[in-house]
Amino acid sequence: MLPLLTNCLFCSQMPVQLTTALRVVGTSLFALVVLGGILAAYVTGYQFIHTEKHYLSFGLYGAILGLHLLIQSLFAFLEHRRMRRAGRPLKRRSVALCIAAYQEDPEYLRKCLRSAQRIAFPNLKVVMVVDGNRQEDAYMLDIFHEVLGGSEQAGFFVWRSNFHEAGEGETEASLQEGMERVRAVVWASTFSCIMQKWGGKREVMYTAFKALGNSVDYIQVCDSDTVLDPACTIEMLRVLEEDPQVGGVGGDVQPPGKGLAVEHGQVQGAQVSTEAWSAHQCSITRQQVSQFSSGERGN
């Protein structure tokens, strides 16, 4: 599963493709004009100024080359200025990383949590929701304690129910108490783990979103077998902050051996890119994301 900050759809793909096509056509025409001018200047040999014996001269050929160099320098300057603007510090935002876990391979889960711990983003909140609360699921809570639990900022709760189904022996009062306990643990902890009654992937994500509520500005999600690049959160957040029409952005997840190498639990090299299509093909607005996050689960 992609590490992302909600879904991206296909609806606005055409404007991006049209812009790219126009740029290709324009660049090709410019190259042809320059090439034709250089050839014409070389064939005619026209010179603006020259010494008496032509030791030094400046002609049409040199003028076209100089103009070409000037235009290239101008575009390079504009691109450099754009990159410097993109690299400006972002506004202070709060982000929560939600990890969905279900009977995960222990080593994969350790690598996922360690990579989350190394994400270079200040005050990142990490919420792991385990889809299952039986004894055979307890090893995932143990791994959470092993990797992230050695801090006073870590909290956990083993819930007999979930937000849509009561567990065995649960009363209405105890169910409500459990819901409040889940919210309290998530809100008060930098690292939190919730084990709940099995309900599937959708139920796990609902618990994380419901518990977080409006406590953070953005929510990032991934599965428990994902090794995250330390810069993934800041790079995806940068895309969202640059365009107010974008409601979600996805990263580039690659299997081991293709852009990703993990040795001794350390990320040696990873590619989590925020390509242009992630931002401009997204048709979910911030208002729609807000409505989805605050609404009840649909069918």
Side-chain angles (χ1 to χ4, degrees):
M1 179 181 177
L2 295 177
L4 48 84
L5 294 163
T6 190
N7 289 334
C8 285
L9 300 181
F10 188 72
C11 297
S12 14
Q13 180 176 1
M14 279 303 296
V16 177
Q17 291 182 342
L18 180 60
T19 302
T20 302
L22 290 175
R23 286 179 177 176
V24 171
V25 171
T27 303
S28 301
L29 290 176
F30 176 73
L32 289 175
V33 169
V34 172
L35 179 61
I38 290 175
L39 288 175
Y42 182 78
V43 171
T44 59
Y46 181 80
Q47 296 178 343
F48 295 114
I49 56 175
H50 58 84
T51 60
E52 184 177 354
K53 295 186 178 181
H54 294 273
Y55 290 127
L56 296 175
S57 64
F58 180 73
L60 183 59
Y61 179 76
I64 293 177
L65 287 180
L67 178 62
H68 184 232
L69 179 61
L70 180 63
I71 293 174
Q72 283 187 320
S73 300
L74 174 62
F75 285 138
F77 169 75
L78 295 175
E79 178 67 12
H80 183 64
R81 188 175 65 172
R82 186 190 68 82
M83 292 176 64
R84 281 188 299 175
R85 287 179 177 176
R88 290 177 180 175
L90 295 172
K91 296 179 181 178
R92 194 173 188 85
R93 300 294 188 185
S94 56
V95 179
L97 169 63
C98 300
I99 302 174
Y102 173 70
Q103 297 182 357
E104 189 58 79
D105 179 277
E107 193 57 32
Y108 286 166
L109 181 57
R110 285 189 181 91
K111 291 176 179 179
C112 175
L113 294 179
R114 286 168 183 161
S115 69
Q117 194 176 33
R118 289 192 297 269
I119 291 179
F121 190 85
N123 302 318
L124 177 69
K125 184 184 287 288
V126 178
V127 181
M128 184 174 82
V129 182
V130 178
D131 192 20
N133 56 7
R134 298 175 298 177
Q135 186 60 38
E136 52 264 38
D137 301 314
Y139 74 94
M140 288 180 280
L141 178 59
D142 294 337
I143 294 174
F144 170 82
H145 286 310
E146 173 190 329
V147 179
L148 300 176
S151 168
E152 295 180 356
Q153 298 175 319
F156 73 96
F157 178 56
V158 180
W159 193 14
R160 287 186 293 176
S161 308
N162 58 49
F163 275 99
H164 294 93
E165 186 176 356
E168 185 178 353
E170 195 87 278
T171 64
E172 183 63 28
S174 63
L175 179 61
Q176 292 298 322
E177 182 181 349
M179 292 180 182
E180 293 302 320
R181 180 68 184 279
V182 169
R183 293 190 184 96
V185 169
V186 170
W187 277 51
S189 307
T190 302
F191 308 115
S192 57
C193 177
I194 305 298
M195 292 184 64
Q196 66 178 25
K197 179 180 175 63
W198 178 86
K201 177 68 172 291
R202 183 170 60 172
E203 190 66 45
V204 167
M205 299 310 303
Y206 184 89
T207 295
F209 278 56
K210 188 73 172 178
L212 284 165
N214 61 355
S215 63
V216 294
D217 297 314
Y218 294 103
I219 297 177
Q220 179 181 355
V221 300
C222 74
D223 283 345
S224 54
D225 59 352
T226 305
V227 177
L228 299 159
D229 187 278
C232 65
T233 302
I234 191 69
E235 290 301 323
M236 288 193 288
L237 183 60
R238 192 181 302 282
V239 175
L240 286 170
E241 289 289 288
E242 286 178 353
D243 190 343
Q245 296 300 316
V246 174
V249 58
D252 178 19
V253 177
Q254 298 186 2
K258 184 181 180 181
L260 174 64
V262 180
E263 296 180 6
H264 307 298
Q266 301 293 320
V267 180
Q268 303 299 325
Q271 180 181 357
V272 181
S273 62
T274 49
E275 299 172 354
W277 67 265
S278 302
H280 298 289
Q281 288 182 13
C282 181
S283 65
I284 298 180
T285 65
R286 294 176 188 269
Q287 182 180 5
Q288 290 172 316
V289 172
S290 177
Q291 291 173 350
F292 171 80
S293 300
S294 61
E296 291 297 317
R297 183 182 71 168
N299 292 326

mmCIF file of all heavy atoms in Angstrom, residues 262-284:
data_model
loop_
_atom_site.group_PDB
_atom_site.id
_atom_site.type_symbol
_atom_site.label_atom_id
_atom_site.label_comp_id
_atom_site.label_asym_id
_atom_site.label_seq_id
_atom_site.Cartn_x
_atom_site.Cartn_y
_atom_site.Cartn_z
ATOM 1 N N VAL A 262 17.542 -2.699 2.410
ATOM 2 C CA VAL A 262 17.487 -2.690 3.865
ATOM 3 C C VAL A 262 18.526 -3.664 4.400
ATOM 4 O O VAL A 262 18.522 -4.849 4.061
ATOM 5 C CB VAL A 262 16.085 -3.097 4.360
ATOM 6 C CG1 VAL A 262 16.057 -3.077 5.879
ATOM 7 C CG2 VAL A 262 15.025 -2.185 3.786
ATOM 8 N N GLU A 263 19.416 -3.157 5.206
ATOM 9 C CA GLU A 263 20.445 -3.993 5.814
ATOM 10 C C GLU A 263 20.496 -3.707 7.308
ATOM 11 O O GLU A 263 20.601 -2.549 7.724
ATOM 12 C CB GLU A 263 21.808 -3.702 5.179
ATOM 13 C CG GLU A 263 21.889 -4.061 3.696
ATOM 14 C CD GLU A 263 23.254 -3.741 3.125
ATOM 15 O OE1 GLU A 263 24.128 -3.355 3.908
ATOM 16 O OE2 GLU A 263 23.426 -3.883 1.901
ATOM 17 N N HIS A 264 20.413 -4.770 8.113
ATOM 18 C CA HIS A 264 20.472 -4.649 9.571
ATOM 19 C C HIS A 264 19.431 -3.653 10.082
ATOM 20 O O HIS A 264 19.670 -2.885 11.012
ATOM 21 C CB HIS A 264 21.865 -4.205 10.010
ATOM 22 C CG HIS A 264 22.958 -5.071 9.468
ATOM 23 N ND1 HIS A 264 23.068 -6.408 9.767
ATOM 24 C CD2 HIS A 264 23.964 -4.780 8.609
ATOM 25 C CE1 HIS A 264 24.123 -6.916 9.139
ATOM 26 N NE2 HIS A 264 24.667 -5.942 8.419
ATOM 27 N N GLY A 265 18.255 -3.669 9.433
ATOM 28 C CA GLY A 265 17.182 -2.794 9.869
ATOM 29 C C GLY A 265 17.335 -1.348 9.476
ATOM 30 O O GLY A 265 16.548 -0.506 9.879
ATOM 31 N N GLN A 266 18.338 -1.013 8.653
ATOM 32 C CA GLN A 266 18.575 0.372 8.253
ATOM 33 C C GLN A 266 18.220 0.550 6.780
ATOM 34 O O GLN A 266 18.519 -0.303 5.952
ATOM 35 C CB GLN A 266 20.051 0.758 8.467
ATOM 36 C CG GLN A 266 20.518 0.627 9.905
ATOM 37 C CD GLN A 266 19.840 1.635 10.809
ATOM 38 O OE1 GLN A 266 19.649 2.774 10.416
ATOM 39 N NE2 GLN A 266 19.484 1.231 11.998
ATOM 40 N N VAL A 267 17.574 1.650 6.460
ATOM 41 C CA VAL A 267 17.261 1.966 5.064
ATOM 42 C C VAL A 267 18.517 2.515 4.410
ATOM 43 O O VAL A 267 18.982 3.597 4.754
ATOM 44 C CB VAL A 267 16.121 3.001 4.973
ATOM 45 C CG1 VAL A 267 15.822 3.315 3.519
ATOM 46 C CG2 VAL A 267 14.878 2.472 5.667
ATOM 47 N N GLN A 268 19.099 1.750 3.493
ATOM 48 C CA GLN A 268 20.315 2.181 2.825
ATOM 49 C C GLN A 268 20.003 3.088 1.639
ATOM 50 O O GLN A 268 20.759 3.978 1.300
ATOM 51 C CB GLN A 268 21.110 0.953 2.342
ATOM 52 C CG GLN A 268 21.456 -0.017 3.460
ATOM 53 C CD GLN A 268 22.313 0.625 4.528
ATOM 54 O OE1 GLN A 268 23.158 1.467 4.235
ATOM 55 N NE2 GLN A 268 22.098 0.251 5.779
ATOM 56 N N GLY A 269 18.896 2.828 0.987
ATOM 57 C CA GLY A 269 18.514 3.676 -0.143
ATOM 58 C C GLY A 269 17.072 3.427 -0.483
ATOM 59 O O GLY A 269 16.657 2.291 -0.606
ATOM 60 N N ALA A 270 16.294 4.458 -0.559
ATOM 61 C CA ALA A 270 14.873 4.293 -0.862
ATOM 62 C C ALA A 270 14.395 5.416 -1.749
ATOM 63 O O ALA A 270 14.943 6.509 -1.717
ATOM 64 C CB ALA A 270 14.057 4.266 0.429
ATOM 65 N N GLN A 271 13.391 5.104 -2.536
ATOM 66 C CA GLN A 271 12.828 6.112 -3.428
ATOM 67 C C GLN A 271 11.366 6.293 -3.054
ATOM 68 O O GLN A 271 10.542 5.431 -3.261
ATOM 69 C CB GLN A 271 12.930 5.673 -4.884
ATOM 70 C CG GLN A 271 12.342 6.704 -5.850
ATOM 71 C CD GLN A 271 12.427 6.254 -7.277
ATOM 72 O OE1 GLN A 271 12.973 5.201 -7.567
ATOM 73 N NE2 GLN A 271 11.884 7.044 -8.181
ATOM 74 N N VAL A 272 11.058 7.412 -2.469
ATOM 75 C CA VAL A 272 9.676 7.785 -2.197
ATOM 76 C C VAL A 272 9.468 9.140 -2.830
ATOM 77 O O VAL A 272 9.770 10.166 -2.256
ATOM 78 C CB VAL A 272 9.378 7.844 -0.681
ATOM 79 C CG1 VAL A 272 7.927 8.207 -0.446
ATOM 80 C CG2 VAL A 272 9.704 6.506 -0.028
ATOM 81 N N SER A 273 9.021 9.126 -4.071
ATOM 82 C CA SER A 273 8.932 10.371 -4.829
ATOM 83 C C SER A 273 7.504 10.877 -4.871
ATOM 84 O O SER A 273 6.557 10.115 -4.783
ATOM 85 C CB SER A 273 9.430 10.147 -6.261
ATOM 86 O OG SER A 273 8.610 9.206 -6.914
ATOM 87 N N THR A 274 7.362 12.166 -5.004
ATOM 88 C CA THR A 274 6.057 12.783 -5.177
ATOM 89 C C THR A 274 6.011 13.353 -6.579
ATOM 90 O O THR A 274 6.293 14.511 -6.803
ATOM 91 C CB THR A 274 5.835 13.894 -4.136
ATOM 92 O OG1 THR A 274 6.978 14.748 -4.137
ATOM 93 C CG2 THR A 274 5.650 13.305 -2.759
ATOM 94 N N GLU A 275 5.681 12.501 -7.542
ATOM 95 C CA GLU A 275 5.705 12.894 -8.932
ATOM 96 C C GLU A 275 4.540 13.826 -9.237
ATOM 97 O O GLU A 275 3.572 13.913 -8.502
ATOM 98 C CB GLU A 275 5.635 11.644 -9.811
ATOM 99 C CG GLU A 275 6.832 10.706 -9.570
ATOM 100 C CD GLU A 275 6.662 9.395 -10.283
ATOM 101 O OE1 GLU A 275 5.589 9.172 -10.862
ATOM 102 O OE2 GLU A 275 7.601 8.590 -10.251
ATOM 103 N N ALA A 276 4.656 14.516 -10.372
ATOM 104 C CA ALA A 276 3.672 15.552 -10.699
ATOM 105 C C ALA A 276 2.265 14.982 -10.789
ATOM 106 O O ALA A 276 1.309 15.632 -10.391
ATOM 107 C CB ALA A 276 4.054 16.219 -12.015
ATOM 108 N N TRP A 277 2.116 13.743 -11.318
ATOM 109 C CA TRP A 277 0.767 13.221 -11.479
ATOM 110 C C TRP A 277 0.073 13.043 -10.149
ATOM 111 O O TRP A 277 -1.155 13.110 -10.058
ATOM 112 C CB TRP A 277 0.796 11.886 -12.226
ATOM 113 C CG TRP A 277 1.444 10.764 -11.484
ATOM 114 C CD1 TRP A 277 2.728 10.347 -11.584
ATOM 115 C CD2 TRP A 277 0.837 9.903 -10.519
ATOM 116 N NE1 TRP A 277 2.971 9.299 -10.730
ATOM 117 C CE2 TRP A 277 1.826 9.005 -10.072
ATOM 118 C CE3 TRP A 277 -0.445 9.809 -9.977
ATOM 119 C CZ2 TRP A 277 1.570 8.030 -9.121
ATOM 120 C CZ3 TRP A 277 -0.689 8.837 -9.027
ATOM 121 C CH2 TRP A 277 0.314 7.961 -8.615
ATOM 122 N N SER A 278 0.840 12.822 -9.086
ATOM 123 C CA SER A 278 0.226 12.624 -7.779
ATOM 124 C C SER A 278 -0.579 13.845 -7.368
ATOM 125 O O SER A 278 -1.651 13.733 -6.795
ATOM 126 C CB SER A 278 1.313 12.363 -6.731
ATOM 127 O OG SER A 278 2.087 11.250 -7.070
ATOM 128 N N ALA A 279 -0.036 15.026 -7.677
ATOM 129 C CA ALA A 279 -0.716 16.248 -7.263
ATOM 130 C C ALA A 279 -1.808 16.648 -8.246
ATOM 131 O O ALA A 279 -2.922 16.951 -7.844
ATOM 132 C CB ALA A 279 0.299 17.380 -7.134
ATOM 133 N N HIS A 280 -1.508 16.609 -9.537
ATOM 134 C CA HIS A 280 -2.400 17.245 -10.493
ATOM 135 C C HIS A 280 -3.507 16.319 -10.980
ATOM 136 O O HIS A 280 -4.473 16.794 -11.552
ATOM 137 C CB HIS A 280 -1.591 17.761 -11.680
ATOM 138 C CG HIS A 280 -0.590 18.793 -11.295
ATOM 139 N ND1 HIS A 280 -0.956 20.061 -10.908
ATOM 140 C CD2 HIS A 280 0.766 18.747 -11.196
ATOM 141 C CE1 HIS A 280 0.116 20.767 -10.623
ATOM 142 N NE2 HIS A 280 1.173 19.990 -10.785
ATOM 143 N N GLN A 281 -3.408 15.015 -10.774
ATOM 144 C CA GLN A 281 -4.484 14.123 -11.157
ATOM 145 C C GLN A 281 -5.473 13.915 -10.024
ATOM 146 O O GLN A 281 -6.439 13.196 -10.162
ATOM 147 C CB GLN A 281 -3.930 12.762 -11.585
ATOM 148 C CG GLN A 281 -3.228 12.814 -12.923
ATOM 149 C CD GLN A 281 -2.733 11.466 -13.348
ATOM 150 O OE1 GLN A 281 -3.111 10.463 -12.771
ATOM 151 N NE2 GLN A 281 -1.903 11.427 -14.352
ATOM 152 N N CYS A 282 -5.215 14.523 -8.880
ATOM 153 C CA CYS A 282 -6.079 14.310 -7.730
ATOM 154 C C CYS A 282 -7.319 15.172 -7.837
ATOM 155 O O CYS A 282 -7.224 16.379 -8.000
ATOM 156 C CB CYS A 282 -5.320 14.635 -6.450
ATOM 157 S SG CYS A 282 -6.322 14.359 -4.994
ATOM 158 N N SER A 283 -8.503 14.550 -7.780
ATOM 159 C CA SER A 283 -9.738 15.316 -7.889
ATOM 160 C C SER A 283 -10.449 15.428 -6.546
ATOM 161 O O SER A 283 -11.563 15.912 -6.487
ATOM 162 C CB SER A 283 -10.674 14.651 -8.910
ATOM 163 O OG SER A 283 -11.074 13.387 -8.457
ATOM 164 N N ILE A 284 -9.841 14.953 -5.475
ATOM 165 C CA ILE A 284 -10.436 15.096 -4.153
ATOM 166 C C ILE A 284 -9.985 16.412 -3.554
ATOM 167 O O ILE A 284 -8.796 16.653 -3.402
ATOM 168 C CB ILE A 284 -10.026 13.938 -3.230
ATOM 169 C CG1 ILE A 284 -10.530 12.614 -3.797
ATOM 170 C CG2 ILE A 284 -10.568 14.142 -1.828
ATOM 171 C CD1 ILE A 284 -10.182 11.432 -2.963
#
